[in-house]
Amino acid sequence: MGQMLLELEDLETDVAASGPEAELPIVADTDKVRVLPVRKLNPNLPR
């Protein structure tokens, strides 16, 4: 278990040293947002 934690720490250090993370573009176009329809539940379902 200890060896895995050390390897994980090494990987995190390598990622942090590789430079800033790539920033994803923020999509604010509401025309592309698909609204999911609201479906009613079957009235026979137990409550």
Side-chain angles (χ1 to χ4, degrees), residues 15-44:
V15 169
S18 67
E21 295 182 20
E23 294 186 21
L24 297 175
I26 298 173
V27 178
D29 190 2
T30 56
D31 294 338
K32 294 181 182 177
V33 175
R34 186 175 61 158
V35 178
L36 297 176
V38 177
R39 295 185 295 181
K40 294 185 179 182
L41 294 176
N42 186 341
N44 296 329

Side-chain angles (χ1 to χ4, degrees), residues 9-24:
E9 185 177 337
D10 288 343
L11 288 173
E12 289 174 342
T13 304
D14 291 344
V15 169
S18 67
E21 295 182 20
E23 294 186 21
L24 297 175

